[in-house]
């Protein structure tokens, strides 16, 4: 595998985005290479987070960096949100699978997460603020929940043309592939 491997982003409404991701069972070099390539793809796409279904893989993997600082890269394997807590806040979210589409999404401020690192060690921690929001957004991807599902009807209406264009582009690409 080359140092510069990156993935193509899977865009809405690709069916893989609606699938349940499966648990990772092998914590090996292949997993670490996938995670590195996901980080490269996320950075290249200027995202703050990326989940494996967004690069076509039904695996419970997410990568994120909520600050853009080098030391803040975080990969979560088999993440589970144990609880969500705190005040519900409204914040504008985008998604690499929905280019150019944004919506104000409500989420609880805090979440407690259990996950494994790329060596298989288990961690548990409570997150708040933007970091918690990114985790909740990426975790949604692992269970087939998308930005469009959590958008208000006003935001859906505002983004109607852009959403229709994505569906149109997907159908055209699918037709081309036969
Ligand atoms: Ni997303």
């Amino acid at each position: 595998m080359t140092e510069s491997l990156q993935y193509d982003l899977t865009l809405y409404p690709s069916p893989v985005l609606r699938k349940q991701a499966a648990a990772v069972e092998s914590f090996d070099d292949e997993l670490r290479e996938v995670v590195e390539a996901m980080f490269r793809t996320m950075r290249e796409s200027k995202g703050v987070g990326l989940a494996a279904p967004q690069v076509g893989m039904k695996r419970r993997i997410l990568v994120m960096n909520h600050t853009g600082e080098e030391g803040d890269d975080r990969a979560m394997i088999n993440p589970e949100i144990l609880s969500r807590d705190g005040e519900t806040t409204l914040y504008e979210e985008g998604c690499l699978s929905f280019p150019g589409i944004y919506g104000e999404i409500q989420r609880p401020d805090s979440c407690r997460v259990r996950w494994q690192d790329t060596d298989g060690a288990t961690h548990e921690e409570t997150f708040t603020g933007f970091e918690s929001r990114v985790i909740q957004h990426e975790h949604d991807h692992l269970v087939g929940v998308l930005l469009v599902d959590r958008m208000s009807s006003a935001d859906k209406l505002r983004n109607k043309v852009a959403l229709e264009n994505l569906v149109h582009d997907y159908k055209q690409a699918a037709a081309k592939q036969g």
Side-chain angles (χ1 to χ4, degrees), residues 49 54 94-98 137-138 141 147:
Q54 293 183 276
C95 178
L96 293 177
S97 296
F98 291 81
H137 176 113
E138 299 312 329
H141 279 296
L147 187 67

Side-chain angles (χ1 to χ4, degrees), residues 63-91:
V63 301
M64 55 184 282
N65 186 320
H66 72 295
T67 64
E69 303 290 326
E70 213 172 305
D72 287 334
D73 275 2
R74 191 190 283 284
M76 290 182 168
I77 316 299
N78 300 328
E80 262 185 276
I81 297 188
L82 303 174
S83 59
R84 299 173 203 245
D85 207 355
E87 203 180 321
T88 297
T89 57
L90 198 62
Y91 194 86

Side-chain angles (χ1 to χ4, degrees), residues 95-143:
C95 178
L96 293 177
S97 296
F98 291 81
I101 293 173
Y102 300 91
E104 302 253 292
I105 309 293
Q106 286 198 341
R107 297 189 192 273
D109 180 62
S110 130
C111 65
R112 183 153 188 86
V113 188
R114 184 191 294 146
W115 75 97
Q116 285 169 284
D117 60 30
T118 51
D119 295 319
T122 300
H123 303 264
E124 201 175 302
E125 202 175 319
T126 299
F127 297 89
T128 58
F130 186 56
E131 196 172 20
S132 162
R133 182 168 283 273
V134 174
I135 292 169
Q136 292 181 65
H137 176 113
E138 299 312 329
H139 184 272
D140 273 354
H141 279 296
L142 303 180
V143 292

